[in-house]
Amino acid sequence: MSATRTFLMELHCEEIPARFLTPLWENFVHLLEDKLEAWFPTGDSANYRKNAIDNSTGLYSPRKLAWRLVGLPAVQPDQTETQVGPPQRMCVGEDGKPTIQGLKFAEKWGMDFSAVRFEQPAGKKEPCAVVTLTKQGRPTVDLLAEALPGLIAGLHVPKAMRWGNSEFEFVRPIRNILCLFGDQVVPITVDGVTATNTTWGHRLYHREHPAPVVIATPGVYESALETAGVAVSVEARRTRIAQQLETLAAEVKGRVVADAELLDTLAEIVEFPKIVRGDFPADFLELPKEVLVTSLREHQKSFCIEGPDGALLPCFLTAANRTDDPAGFVKAGNEWVLKARLYDARFFFAEDRKHPLSDRLEKLMALTFQRELGSYHDKTGRVVALVKHFASRMSDDTDHIDRALEAARMAKCDLRTLMVGEFPELQGIMGGEYLRHEGAHEEVWMAVKEHYRPVGADDAIPGTPLGCLLSLCDKLDTVAGCFAVGLIPSGSKDPLALRRAGQGIVRILWERGWAFPPADLIAAALRVVGAKATKPTAETNEALMDFFRDRVAYQLELAGYAGSVRRSALAAGWEDLVDLKARCEALSAFAEDTRFASLAQSAKRIGNILKDEAPSTDFDDSLLAQPVEKVLAACLMKLELAPDQASLLHALANLAGPLEAFFNAVMVKCEDPALRAARLSLLHRLRQAFLRVADFSLWQ
């Protein structure tokens, strides 16, 4: 067993944009993993390689990209390979001496003919010349030295740049390379920078300690940088930030307004996080909560603090990239900038409210939604038509329908406000807030405020029925309209986020329990798109049905159903989401029942028997001759009378034994045509009963 060592490499650069850090770090891990698979393909070395990759952790900060792999073999194992040559009769003459062809085969592989043996390899009809070559393993440090410069140069770098006269392209200039294998420096040079066993800490640290930080071995890397003012692990920084946020918020008897994305951002833009709490004038709390939270997040990368009642406190939390703020400059600077930003937000809020939101409806004509589909005013008209159609199907309350139409007309008006122009993230939210201040009905302003939801897989659907209806119709118009003009997602490309919109539609139907089949939704949406469509209706309809089926399948996955449940339930029908959900719930309750494995085999057998047959749904059970088939017929009656999914599944589980007995004793396709027809009809009726809940032939 070879000795193992730890590999460590750090690229110390000028500040790297936060959004590039994780992709670059992960890209190098994958590239190095491919190399390790080639260097250590089998045996213990393969296990070392796997452990090294599995134990790698995110070591990166604004100026550093670092990778540490523990437990790599110090030396490659010797590798052997077998080479097969000509048949034995061509390599050895009748006198037992090697022929010219045999000698040339041995010479080709640098061996004496005495090393050639004769065996019959797999796939050969006679013994052939065979030699085994042994390739001595190389030191891992040599392999790394050869490969690393190319791996670094091969990283996928968004917006790659060059500096000076160099032809090397990277995300930012590399200023230092630390590269160790154990305590040995790996001799590499990249863009004129030669690797050493040193690195650099925080800039403030080196004001008092001008020398570089020596890293004797990979094991001391993080602790040495910690002393030098850099927490190099992104997870460590994220944990520290979260802890400091909670502590400082608790000091003012509040809690942090959660924002996982902002937490990740702060962890990526600082080297040594120090959370600072600042204050802003309390009169800014008159602004809507969403405005304050968005302004602090977007402009200052700051968290808000809310009290026990959910109302904001006049405080904020932000990260300083240093260990302390002794003179309070960080706090004061953030307060000064934030105050100016909040004055802007208050100005926008006041100016927008000088005119009713409805005054902006006609101005939507000047705002393009999509070139072929027209303006946002056109889109509003289509959404109003869809809302009217579906609201009328859900309720005959004319007041409720009128409120739904009012919400649909006002939904996009805030796109012409100053506030949304400054903070696009607030579209919809500001429309709801302005309508609330104008005294609109609560159902109306709430629906407008939340109609963009859900904006992602982790976001909740709108909290009100009217909000869900408006969201559904808005997303439906977007998806169907884009499909109708040929803008269809393909592969990983989905620039208009149509999959996200489609998933939002499915989630609303799923969670609300609304019985709107996708075919009905599509028909209504394509009707309002009308003459703006550039693709044939039948083609668009087919593409949309495939699209929604994929979204429904993904919804089942998000809901956590097992693969066997998802496959079998979908195959039995997917358009009625209320029924599909009930079937999946019932199937999940029976998923561990071992009788279903036998039932699955029987379902496959029934499918094979009925292939190319056209059995009737009616049969005369008096024609059935054997006791086992009469028992099966009686079971069929119970299946068809089952009142709900759970009862049906219970009856199906009890069917496993009778079915197995039937197939063991009965020849379905017998000579008697009447008996044959009766048995085929019995199996056909059984399959129809199965398909009420699932296609058990896909139960695996």
Side-chain angles (χ1 to χ4, degrees):
M1 182 179 294
S2 172
T4 63
R5 297 179 187 173
T6 298
F7 165 70
L8 171 67
M9 184 176 74
E10 177 206 88
L11 303 179
H12 180 83
C13 309
E14 294 185 8
E15 271 76 2
I16 301 171
R19 65 185 183 277
F20 297 156
L21 288 169
T22 300
L24 282 170
W25 187 87
E26 291 178 346
N27 185 196
F28 186 84
V29 169
H30 295 318
L31 293 176
L32 185 56
E33 183 175 19
D34 291 341
K35 286 293 183 183
L36 295 177
E37 288 178 355
W39 295 341
F40 310 112
T42 58
D44 290 338
S45 297
N47 293 330
Y48 293 149
R49 181 198 76 228
K50 181 180 185 302
N51 291 336
I53 294 295
D54 290 348
N55 292 329
S56 61
T57 57
L59 300 174
Y60 50 85
S61 67
R63 295 188 298 151
K64 296 181 183 296
L65 288 164
W67 300 269
R68 181 174 57 205
L69 304 181
V70 179
L72 287 182
V75 180
Q76 264 186 312
D78 293 343
Q79 299 180 27
T80 61
E81 61 177 315
T82 300
Q83 298 293 337
V84 179
Q88 182 176 2
R89 56 183 169 77
M90 298 175 65
C91 295
V92 181
E94 293 181 357
D95 57 0
K97 294 182 179 179
T99 64
I100 293 176
Q101 194 167 358
L103 291 171
K104 286 186 175 180
F105 172 71
E107 182 182 352
K108 176 183 178 180
W109 300 109
M111 294 187 172
D112 187 78
F113 188 79
S114 61
V116 177
R117 64 185 188 278
F118 296 97
E119 300 174 354
Q120 186 171 340
K124 299 291 184 179
K125 296 182 179 179
E126 57 183 309
C128 297
V130 175
V131 295
T132 298
L133 307 177
T134 300
K135 183 179 180 182
Q136 186 174 4
R138 298 178 59 195
T140 302
V141 68
D142 293 345
L143 297 171
L144 290 168
E146 288 180 5
L148 291 176
L151 295 183
I152 296 169
L155 287 172
H156 174 66
V157 178
K159 299 182 180 180
M161 303 177 185
R162 291 189 306 226
W163 296 268
N165 297 322
S166 173
E167 294 298 315
F168 181 78
E169 294 184 345
F170 202 57
V171 62
R172 290 293 184 270
I174 298 174
R175 297 308 187 197
N176 187 81
I177 299 176
L178 165 69
C179 196
L180 295 173
F181 188 60
D183 58 0
Q184 183 178 3
V185 174
V186 181
I188 63 170
T189 299
V190 178
D191 195 26
V193 180
T194 300
T196 65
N197 66 344
T198 63
T199 185
W200 296 90
H202 198 285
R203 288 189 175 95
L204 296 180
Y205 172 82
H206 287 293
R207 288 182 180 180
E208 300 179 4
H209 307 84
V213 179
V214 176
I215 307 297
T217 63
V220 302
Y221 175 64
E222 288 178 84
S223 60
L225 277 177
E226 181 84 16
T227 301
V230 176
V232 73
S233 167
V234 67
E235 287 297 333
R237 296 197 301 277
R238 185 183 291 112
T239 299
R240 293 184 192 185
I241 290 172
Q243 291 172 344
Q244 293 179 44
L245 288 172
E246 291 180 6
T247 300
L248 291 177
E251 289 179 359
V252 292
K253 296 181 173 55
R255 59 175 179 263
V256 178
V257 177
D259 189 331
E261 185 176 347
L262 178 57
L263 180 60
D264 289 341
T265 298
L266 289 182
E268 291 174 341
I269 64 175
V270 297
E271 289 185 317
F272 199 99
K274 169 68 176 178
I275 300 301
V276 175
R277 186 179 64 239
D279 305 302
F280 59 84
D283 56 352
F284 285 118
L285 294 176
E286 297 174 359
L287 290 169
K289 181 177 181 178
E290 293 87 354
V291 172
L292 287 168
V293 171
T294 302
S295 181
L296 266 69
R297 181 183 67 238
E298 297 301 318
H299 287 148
Q300 295 300 108
K301 298 293 184 287
S302 299
F303 283 88
C304 287
I305 304 176
E306 61 185 8
D309 59 352
L312 292 184
L313 302 179
C315 309
F316 67 92
L317 299 168
T318 193
N321 188 25
R322 55 183 296 161
T323 58
D324 56 13
D325 184 22
F329 290 141
V330 174
K331 176 179 182 294
N334 275 276
E335 289 176 341
W336 183 80
V337 174
L338 178 61
K339 189 183 298 185
R341 296 294 190 184
L342 293 181
Y343 274 120
D344 288 344
R346 187 159 64 183
F347 171 77
F348 296 148
F349 190 60
E351 287 296 304
D352 286 339
R353 291 171 59 199
K354 288 181 178 179
H355 304 280
L357 191 65
S358 58
D359 285 359
R360 296 172 174 83
L361 181 58
E362 296 301 314
K363 295 180 181 179
L364 292 176
M365 292 181 179
L367 193 61
T368 300
F369 167 62
Q370 200 279 329
R371 186 177 58 187
E372 284 87 355
L373 296 172
S375 68
Y376 270 95
H377 190 273
D378 297 326
K379 178 178 176 60
T380 296
R382 294 194 297 272
V383 173
V384 168
L386 287 172
V387 167
K388 183 176 182 180
H389 174 76
F390 290 109
S392 300
R393 288 178 56 177
M394 297 172 66
S395 171
D396 56 4
D397 183 341
T398 56
D399 290 339
H400 177 76
I401 294 173
D402 288 343
R403 289 194 291 272
L405 295 177
E406 177 67 11
R409 282 191 291 269
M410 296 295 102
K412 303 300 178 185
C413 289
D414 67 353
L415 294 175
R416 301 294 290 175
T417 62
L418 293 172
M419 187 70 81
V420 172
E422 178 72 10
F423 299 113
E425 304 86 348
L426 293 176
Q427 54 190 287
I429 293 172
M430 293 314 304
E433 284 295 323
Y434 292 142
L435 287 171
R436 182 172 70 86
H437 281 82
E438 291 174 16
H441 193 283
E442 183 177 6
E443 277 193 316
V444 175
W445 68 259
M446 281 292 292
V448 172
K449 186 171 184 176
E450 59 187 6
H451 82 276
Y452 282 97
R453 303 181 73 176
V455 294
D458 298 329
D459 190 27
I461 66 171
T464 64
L466 189 53
C468 284
L469 177 62
L470 181 55
S471 175
L472 183 146
C473 293
D474 179 38
K475 291 174 172 59
L476 179 60
D477 173 69
T478 298
V479 171
C482 288
F483 271 65
V485 297
L487 300 175
I488 301 176
S490 61
S492 60
K493 295 182 179 179
D494 186 12
L496 299 176
L498 298 182
R499 291 191 184 97
R500 185 173 66 190
Q503 203 64 49
I505 294 170
V506 170
R507 280 191 58 199
I508 289 171
L509 296 175
W510 181 269
E511 295 182 30
R512 276 286 170 187
W514 287 348
F516 292 146
D520 289 358
L521 297 177
I522 292 167
L526 293 182
R527 199 159 47 243
V528 300
V529 172
K532 291 186 180 294
T534 59
K535 297 294 180 181
T537 300
E539 177 184 322
T540 303
N541 189 79
E542 182 180 357
L544 281 167
M545 287 298 286
D546 290 341
F547 172 80
F548 277 110
R549 189 189 188 284
D550 289 342
R551 297 302 93 209
V552 170
Y554 186 55
Q555 178 61 38
L556 297 187
E557 187 177 341
L558 290 177
Y561 297 119
S564 56
V565 171
R566 300 198 307 268
R567 286 189 300 271
S568 57
L570 278 172
W574 62 273
E575 293 191 51
D576 186 340
L577 296 190
V578 176
D579 175 66
L580 177 61
K581 187 175 184 179
R583 288 189 284 119
C584 287
E585 290 294 326
L587 283 167
S588 295
F590 284 85
E592 302 303 321
D593 194 319
T594 56
R595 292 174 292 179
F596 278 101
S598 173
L599 196 64
Q601 294 302 316
S602 296
K604 291 178 184 177
R605 192 166 181 179
I606 291 173
N608 291 332
I609 291 172
L610 295 179
K611 187 178 181 182
D612 301 326
E613 297 284 350
S616 169
T617 56
D618 298 322
F619 73 97
D620 184 355
D621 58 1
S622 66
L623 294 174
L624 301 176
Q626 299 190 34
V628 290
E629 55 189 341
K630 291 182 179 292
V631 169
L632 194 58
C635 291
L636 172 63
M637 299 303 111
K638 293 180 180 179
L639 287 177
E640 293 179 334
L641 294 174
D644 52 44
Q645 306 290 1
S647 301
L648 177 58
L649 279 168
H650 184 74
L652 284 172
N654 290 330
L655 190 67
L659 262 176
E660 186 175 354
F662 172 83
F663 284 124
N664 288 337
V666 173
M667 173 66 71
V668 176
K669 297 183 179 181
C670 59
E671 296 295 330
D672 183 339
L675 181 57
R676 171 192 173 110
R679 288 171 175 171
L680 288 173
S681 295
L682 171 61
L683 293 183
H684 175 64
R685 291 265 293 272
L686 281 170
R687 183 168 66 174
Q688 293 304 110
F690 287 178
L691 292 176
R692 282 177 55 193
V693 63
D695 183 350
F696 286 99
S697 65
L698 300 177
W699 188 275
Q700 298 174 358

